[in-house]
């Protein structure tokens, strides 16, 4: 999906969520954030995890028949998309609590396994059990995600207002930098 950022990503001090010296007019918040603001692109590219830009279907090189070759996965309890009732729309319906393995099996059983796009709304995804069908498959997936998301590497948000005495040296114990730490 298209991602929105409420702060720039920078290894040092930010000013109001922006690079130092950048005004609100030059860089309004929130903004469409690039892939590498949230994910470790270098690690992702060298892993086995596939990815596509959120806008890949808008690319003119995607054939119209591929763009329209989709299946909607709907979990009972999520709001139905208006397109679900239109004729010709392929929909896989699952019950809340079914897992990702069941979603994959349902695609195969329906004969729609080769669909170019599987559309899943956020609520349907939330209602599924986060399980790939076996502890081994879950471990493999978690290992790949740990690598591509850079979970072992922390990033921080350091704002100048929270650090009025910061002198630009991160190793100065008399003027420590006050940051909010998190994971990307």
């Amino acid at each position: 999906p298209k991602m929105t950022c409420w702060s720039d990503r920078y290894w040092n001090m930010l000013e109001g969520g922006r690079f130092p010296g950048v005004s609100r007019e030059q860089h309004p918040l929130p903004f469409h954030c690039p892939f590498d603001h949230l994910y470790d692109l270098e690690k992702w590219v060298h892993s086995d995890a596939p990815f596509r830009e959120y806008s890949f279907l808008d690319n003119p090189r995607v054939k119209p028949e591929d763009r329209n070759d989709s299946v909607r996965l709907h979990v009972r309890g999520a709001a139905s998309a208006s397109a679900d009732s239109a004729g010709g729309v392929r929909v896989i319906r699952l019950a809340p609590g079914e897992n990702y393995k069941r979603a994959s099996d349902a695609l195969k059983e329906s004969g729609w396994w080769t669909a170019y796009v599987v559309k899943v709304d956020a609520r349907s995804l939330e209602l599924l059990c986060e399980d790939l069908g076996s502890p081994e498959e879950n471990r493999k997936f978690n290992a790949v995600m740990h690598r591509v998301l850079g979970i072992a590497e922390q990033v921080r948000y350091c704002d100048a207002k929270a650090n009025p005495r910061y002198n630009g040296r991160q190793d100065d114990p008399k003027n420590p930098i006050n940051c909010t730490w998190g994971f990307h």
Side-chain angles (χ1 to χ4, degrees):
K2 184 175 180 179
M3 298 177 288
T4 301
C5 285
W6 293 85
S7 174
D8 222 334
R9 180 176 176 185
Y10 183 47
W11 62 270
N12 207 338
M13 196 67 61
L14 292 169
E15 295 174 1
R18 297 170 185 83
F19 274 49
V22 176
S23 71
R24 292 175 190 254
E25 292 75 30
Q26 291 172 303
H27 189 45
L29 299 178
F31 61 97
H32 167 74
C33 57
F35 189 85
D36 68 347
H37 262 47
L38 299 172
Y39 305 105
D40 191 326
L41 183 58
E42 180 67 20
K43 288 182 178 179
W44 203 311
V45 167
H46 296 289
S47 75
D48 293 331
F51 70 93
R52 292 182 175 155
E53 299 172 21
Y54 77 95
S55 60
F56 80 97
L57 289 174
D58 298 330
N59 188 312
R61 292 180 292 180
V62 175
K63 295 182 249 173
E65 58 269 22
D66 288 338
R67 187 177 294 114
N68 296 320
D69 180 20
S70 67
V71 174
R72 180 173 302 281
L73 188 133
H74 177 79
V75 178
R76 190 176 66 245
S80 281
S82 58
D84 285 358
S85 59
V89 175
R90 300 181 296 179
V91 180
I92 300 282
R93 298 185 191 284
L94 298 175
E98 292 195 77
N99 63 18
Y100 299 153
K101 171 83 165 79
R102 178 67 196 117
S104 174
D105 290 345
L107 273 169
K108 290 174 187 167
E109 292 163 7
S110 68
W112 299 332
W113 179 250
T114 61
Y116 196 73
V117 178
V118 177
K119 298 177 180 181
V120 186
D121 66 84
R123 181 64 179 144
S124 284
L125 193 59
E126 185 180 50
L127 290 169
L128 289 173
C129 179
E130 297 170 353
D131 176 63
L132 297 172
S134 75
E136 179 59 24
E137 289 300 314
N138 292 341
R139 272 192 295 280
K140 286 194 276 187
F141 177 80
N142 288 340
V144 170
M145 289 300 104
H146 188 274
R147 179 173 180 192
V148 301
L149 297 178
I151 291 173
E153 299 171 22
Q154 295 179 326
V155 294
R156 60 185 168 207
Y157 168 76
C158 306
D159 197 85
K161 286 183 183 177
N163 295 279
R165 298 183 321 139
Y166 178 62
N167 61 10
R169 289 188 46 213
Q170 294 185 17
D171 62 346
D172 184 353
K174 294 179 183 171
N175 295 295
I177 189 168
N178 177 18
C179 299
T180 301
W181 287 87
F183 297 96
H184 64 120

